[in-house]
Amino acid sequence: MNDFIFLLLTGFCIGVEVEAILKAKIIILCQYSSIYLDANGKEKFFKEHPDVKRFLSLSFFYWIVCVAGLFTSQWYCFLIIIILSIIPRRKRTITIHIIDSVVCIAAMVLAILLNLKIV
């Protein structure tokens, strides 16, 4: 049962990362809007892109799963993901964002393979 929950949560995290790759341009725009826009500009941005609020709430749950993953035997895979999330927002470009997502997906797949004792 614990393996099933672990696989379900890591599968969810992989799904969030795939969505982050598919919507990389909007996510980067959201990060810049949170830094450079005033309150009215942010409100207008979120009205134009309603998926961003859903993605941000999924990202919050993804962060909780990664922190909980530090207490598993695959802790180093989750530590890689947490370290990658520390990259400053101002230095992120679309290319860096996609590379970050691909590395996070690889770390999640590695965690799944290690959990299933395939590797």
Side-chain angles (χ1 to χ4, degrees):
M1 182 67 178
N2 289 338
D3 290 340
F4 175 74
I5 293 171
F6 179 80
L7 292 175
L8 185 69
L9 291 176
T10 51
F12 165 78
C13 293
I14 289 173
V16 171
E17 287 294 341
V18 169
E19 184 178 6
I21 290 173
L22 296 176
K23 297 181 180 181
K25 184 177 180 181
I26 294 172
I27 293 169
I28 294 297
L29 286 174
C30 176
Q31 290 175 350
Y32 283 115
S33 71
S34 67
I35 295 171
Y36 297 113
L37 292 181
D38 60 348
N40 292 334
K42 289 178 189 178
E43 184 177 327
K44 183 179 177 184
F45 180 81
F46 285 124
K47 283 183 181 177
E48 291 175 1
H49 304 286
D51 291 344
V52 173
K53 285 186 179 179
R54 183 182 58 83
F55 181 77
L56 291 175
S57 61
L58 289 176
S59 296
F60 178 72
F61 184 70
Y62 174 72
W63 179 258
I64 291 171
V65 170
C66 286
V67 170
L70 291 175
F71 299 103
T72 65
S73 59
Q74 293 83 18
W75 62 270
Y76 42 87
C77 296
F78 294 100
L79 184 64
I80 290 170
I81 295 169
I82 291 172
I83 289 172
L84 286 174
S85 71
I86 299 174
I87 296 173
R89 290 182 180 176
R90 292 186 177 144
K91 296 189 180 188
R92 282 188 174 223
T93 61
I94 293 176
T95 307
I96 292 173
H97 181 77
I98 291 173
I99 291 170
D100 174 53
S101 294
V102 169
V103 170
C104 289
I105 289 172
M108 288 289 177
V109 169
L110 179 63
I112 289 173
L113 293 176
L114 289 171
N115 187 37
L116 296 174
K117 296 176 179 66
I118 294 177
V119 175

